C-alpha cells in the first residue's frame, strides 16, 4: 500500500486539551500545524470536565470567553464536603483575581469541539481524525516526523517539531525512549452517573470510614467519583452490584432511591490513577506536554488545566522559533524549565493529600473527624481562599503573550 506523505512545520500527536490548545495557538500565529487524533470524534465520557479559572482566563486572553460560556456548563463557586458527621466549606473561588470566579463544569467533548472550531478559522490548522501515531521518523539522532495509521492507509508526516500530546499512555514518549518517574498513587476511582433532583443537597464530597464519594452537580445528574484502594475494583465486583449500591446509598442517603440506575458494571468506569512525570520532556525535534509529560492525580481536577498551561507556555516560547524554522534543543528545554516547577509543586501537593488524607481515610475503620487544618479552613472563610487559589489558578499561571497573525 502507498504511504501518504505530508510536510508541516509542527505535527502534534493527540487531540486532547494540550494538543488542541497548542494547535490553536500555533495556527493563530500563522504556523502550519497538523494534529493527529486517533479517535473518530471528541466524545469521551468522564474525562477532565473541570475548566478552572486559569483556563477561563486563557479564553479571555484569546477574546473568546463569552462565546465559550455559551456552551453548556455549570458554574461552581464554592466547594464543600462532609467528613464523618461534620459538613465544611473548603474552597471559595469568588475572590480570585480572574475574570471568572468559578469552575466551569463542561463535558470535555464540548470543550475540545469549541477549541477545534476556533482553530479551523485559521488556514494553517489541520486535523486528521482516526490517525494513530505509531512510530517516530528519525534522522541522525533527530526526530523529523511521525508515522501514523489511518483508515486510508499509512501516513508519514515530516515536521520541524513533533509534539507528543497523546496522554498518559503516550506512544510518542515511549517511542522516544523518554524516562518516566512513577510517583505512585494509593487509589483508583470509579466514575458513574446518577440522576439528580432539584431538592437534593448541594453536597460535593463525603469522607467516611474506608470510603470517599465525590459528587459533581451536572444539573440533571450527579457525576459521582467513588474512590477505592489501588487495585480494589475486582474485590468490589466480587462483592456484587447490590452491595456496591448499598455502599453508595449509605454515603449519600439522598441517592438511595436511585442507585438502581446502576444495573450493570458497564455503568461504572474505572480510572486507574497514575501520577508520573518525565525526567526530560524533549529530544532533538520532539517535545512532550500535558499528560504525556506528567500524568496528574485527579485530586483538585487540575489535569486538563495543567495541560492547557503547558500548551500556552510552549506556544509563547516556541512560536518565534517556529516562524523561522526548527526549534533548537535549548528552546525545548526552556519549555520544560518553565513548566517543571508548577508540575512538581502540584504533584507534591497531590501526593500529600493522597498519602496523608486519602490513604488514611481508605484504611480507616472507625469514625472520622476532620484534621485540625481542615477544621480551620471550615471555620475561617478567609482561609478558604487559599485552596481556591491553588486549585483555580495554581502555580505560575501562563498568559497568552502573542497576538494573532495579521
Ligand atoms: C476518567 C477520567 C476522569 C478525569 N477527570 C478529570 C477532571 O475531572 N478534571 C481534570 O482536570 N482532569 C481529569 N482527568 C484528567 C484529564 O482528562 C487529563 O489530565 C487531561 O485530559 C490531559 O490532557 P492531554 O491533552 O494531555 O491528554 P488527553 O486528554 O489524554 O488527550 C490525549 C489525546 O491523544 C489521543 N491519542 C492517544 N494516543 C494517540 C496516538 N497514538 N495517536 C494519536 N492520538 C492519540 C487521545 O485519543 C486523546 O484525544 C480525568 C481523566 C480520566 C481518565
Amino acid at each position: 500500500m502507498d504511504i501518504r506523505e505530508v510536510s508541516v512545520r509542527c505535527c502534534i500527536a493527540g487531540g486532547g486539551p494540550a494538543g488542541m490548545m497548542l494547535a490553536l495557538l500555533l495556527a493563530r500565529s500563522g504556523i502550519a500545524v497538523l494534529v493527529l487524533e486517533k479517535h473518530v470524534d471528541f466524545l469521551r465520557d468522564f474525562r477532565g470536565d473541570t475548566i478552572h479559572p486559569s483556563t477561563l482566563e486563557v479564553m479571555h486572553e484569546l477574546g473568546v470567553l463569552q462565546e465559550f460560556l455559551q456552551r453548556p456548563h455549570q458554574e461552581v463557586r464554592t466547594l464543600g464536603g462532609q467528613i464523618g458527621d461534620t459538613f465544611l466549606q473548603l474552597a471559595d473561588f469568588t475572590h480570585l483575581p480572574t475574570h471568572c470566579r468559578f469552575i466551569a463544569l463542561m463535558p470535555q467533548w464540548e470543550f475540545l469541539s469549541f477549541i477545534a472550531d476556533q482553530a479551523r478559522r485559521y488556514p494553517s490548522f489541520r486535523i486528521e481524525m482516526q490517525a494513530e501515531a505509531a512510530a517516530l521518523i528519525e534522522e541522525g539522532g533527530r526526530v523529523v516526523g511521525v508515522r501514523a495509521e489511518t483508515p486510508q492507509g499509512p501516513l508519514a508526516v515530516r515536521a520541524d517539531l513533533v509534539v507528543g500530546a497523546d496522554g498518559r499512555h503516550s506512544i510518542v514518549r515511549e517511542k522516544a525512549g523518554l524516562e518516566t518517574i512513577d510517583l505512585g498513587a494509593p487509589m483508583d476511582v470509579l466514575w458513574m452517573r446518577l440522576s439528580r433532583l432539584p431538592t437534593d443537597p448541594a453536597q460535593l464530597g463525603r469522607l467516611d470510614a474506608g470510603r470517599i464519594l465525590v459528587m459533581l452537580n451536572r444539573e440533571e445528574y450527579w457525576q459521582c467519583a467513588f474512590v477505592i484502594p489501588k487495585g480494589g475494583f475486582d474485590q468490589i465486583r466480587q462483592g456484587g452490584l447490590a452491595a456496591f449500591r448499598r455502599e453508595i446509598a449509605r454515603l449519600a442517603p439522598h441517592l438511595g432511591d436511585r442507585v438502581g440506575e446502576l444495573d450493570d458494571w458497564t455503568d461504572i468506569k474505572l480510572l486507574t490513577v497514575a501520577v508520573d512525570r518525565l525526567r526530560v520532556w524533549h529530544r532533538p525535534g520532539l517535545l512532550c506536554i500535558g499528560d504525556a509529560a506528567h500524568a496528574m492525580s485527579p485530586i483538585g481536577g487540575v489535569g486538563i488545566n495543567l495541560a492547557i498551561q503547558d500548551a500556552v507556555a510552549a506556544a509563547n516560547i516556541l512560536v518565534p522559533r517556529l516562524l523561522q524554522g526548527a526549534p533548537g534543543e535549548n528552546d525545548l528545554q526552556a519549555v520544560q524549565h518553565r513548566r517543571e516547577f508548577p508540575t512538581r509543586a502540584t504533584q507534591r501537593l497531590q501526593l500529600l493529600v493522597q498519602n496523608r488524607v486519602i490513604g488514611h481515610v481508605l484504611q480507616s475503620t472507625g469514625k472520622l473527624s476532620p484534621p485540625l487544618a481542615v477544621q480551620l479552613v471550615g471555620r475561617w472563610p478567609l482561609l478558604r481562599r487559599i485552596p481556591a487559589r491553588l486549585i483555580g489558578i495554581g502555580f505560575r499561571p501562563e498568559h497568552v503573550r502573542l497576538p494573532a497573525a495579521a
Side-chain angles (χ1 to χ4, degrees):
M1 189 184 277
D2 284 348
I3 299 181
R4 270 192 303 149
E5 290 192 11
V6 180
S7 269
V8 73
R9 184 72 80 187
C10 177
C11 176
I12 299 174
M20 291 306 293
M21 179 55 84
L22 180 60
L24 164 60
L25 293 168
L26 296 186
R28 181 175 171 271
S29 291
I31 289 164
V33 56
L34 170 63
V35 179
L36 303 174
E37 168 52 50
K38 74 174 177 183
H39 285 103
V40 67
D41 55 32
F42 292 125
L43 276 179
R44 320 261 189 283
D45 219 355
F46 302 136
R47 301 301 314 274
D49 286 356
T50 47
I51 311 295
H52 287 186
S54 59
T55 298
L56 295 166
E57 204 63 8
V58 169
M59 295 296 187
H60 168 73
E61 288 162 359
L62 289 171
V64 298
L65 179 62
Q66 291 316 318
E67 202 183 327
F68 179 68
L69 292 175
Q70 304 293 315
R71 298 262 171 150
H73 70 280
Q74 291 84 43
E75 297 178 4
V76 176
R77 289 181 164 72
T78 57
L79 297 179
Q82 187 176 339
I83 303 179
D85 294 331
T86 318
F87 183 83
L88 301 146
Q89 284 295 343
L90 297 170
D92 177 359
F93 298 95
T94 60
H95 300 275
L96 290 179
T98 46
H99 285 82
C100 296
R101 295 168 182 178
F102 54 81
I103 291 176
L105 296 179
M106 181 183 287
Q108 199 178 98
W109 65 84
E110 283 285 356
F111 177 77
L112 293 176
S113 322
F114 180 83
I115 303 287
D117 289 350
Q118 295 302 318
R120 285 192 187 99
R121 292 168 41 199
Y122 301 100
S124 53
F125 170 81
R126 276 181 57 198
I127 183 163
E128 180 131 356
M129 304 302 283
Q130 286 183 283
E132 180 163 4
L136 299 175
I137 307 171
E138 301 190 39
E139 279 171 11
R142 184 181 173 85
V143 175
V144 294
V146 180
R147 281 187 215 289
E149 299 301 332
T150 76
Q152 298 81 41
L155 170 69
V157 185
R158 291 189 77 87
D160 290 312
L161 176 66
V162 171
V163 176
D166 50 343
R168 60 211 196 110
H169 304 297
S170 171
I171 287 292
V172 169
R173 80 180 188 186
E174 182 198 314
K175 298 288 178 193
L178 296 174
E179 187 194 343
T180 309
I181 306 167
D182 185 0
L183 301 169
M187 73 222 196
D188 290 329
V189 180
L190 302 180
W191 287 97
M192 69 212 91
R193 63 173 66 181
L194 287 167
S195 48
R196 180 180 167 273
L197 300 178
T199 47
D200 285 349
Q203 183 175 282
L204 180 85
R206 177 84 206 270
L207 281 70
D208 211 344
R211 293 285 178 247
I212 300 173
L213 180 70
V214 177
M215 288 163 283
L216 302 176
N217 174 354
R218 309 307 298 264
E219 303 286 357
E220 317 87 65
Y221 65 93
W222 289 105
Q223 184 177 329
C224 303
F226 186 67
V227 184
I228 61 170
K230 182 113 222 117
F233 190 34
D234 280 347
Q235 198 186 339
I236 288 178
R237 284 169 69 116
Q238 277 159 22
L241 203 49
F244 181 70
R245 289 195 207 110
R246 276 198 300 278
E247 196 55 36
I248 302 288
R250 185 178 71 79
L251 287 164
H254 63 280
L255 299 180
D257 56 354
R258 282 154 258 175
V259 285
E261 293 169 13
L262 303 170
D263 63 358
D264 191 279
W265 286 110
T266 53
D267 294 330
I268 295 150
K269 182 166 164 48
L270 169 69
L271 165 63
T272 305
V273 176
V275 187
D276 65 32
R277 63 174 176 262
L278 295 179
R279 196 175 296 283
V280 179
W281 298 18
H282 53 88
R283 273 188 49 190
L286 178 136
L287 172 71
C288 286
I289 60 169
D291 274 19
H294 48 72
M296 308 301 291
S297 163
I299 291 165
V302 293
I304 180 171
N305 303 283
L306 254 81
I308 299 287
Q309 297 282 303
D310 284 1
V312 174
N316 285 340
I317 293 168
L318 298 178
V319 161
R321 297 288 174 212
L322 284 165
L323 284 170
Q324 291 159 15
E329 183 89 65
N330 53 337
D331 302 313
L332 306 180
Q333 199 176 17
V335 178
Q336 174 175 355
H337 185 69
R338 171 88 200 160
R339 295 304 305 156
E340 192 160 18
F341 161 68
T343 302
R344 277 172 175 262
T346 310
Q347 287 182 330
R348 184 166 292 189
L349 273 183
Q350 290 185 321
L351 292 180
L352 198 79
V353 176
Q354 259 184 202
N355 300 333
R356 294 273 175 86
V357 183
I358 305 222
H360 171 72
V361 173
L362 290 176
Q363 278 162 22
S364 67
T365 47
K367 200 138 206 72
L368 277 186
S369 55
L372 181 64
V374 175
Q375 285 183 38
L376 288 175
V377 171
R379 199 169 303 154
W380 297 96
L382 259 179
L383 294 180
R384 290 177 211 153
R385 298 182 190 186
I386 300 170
R389 196 173 174 110
L390 290 172
I391 295 171
I393 300 180
F395 300 98
R396 193 181 278 167
E398 303 292 345
H399 298 282
V400 179
R401 303 244 177 259
L402 302 156

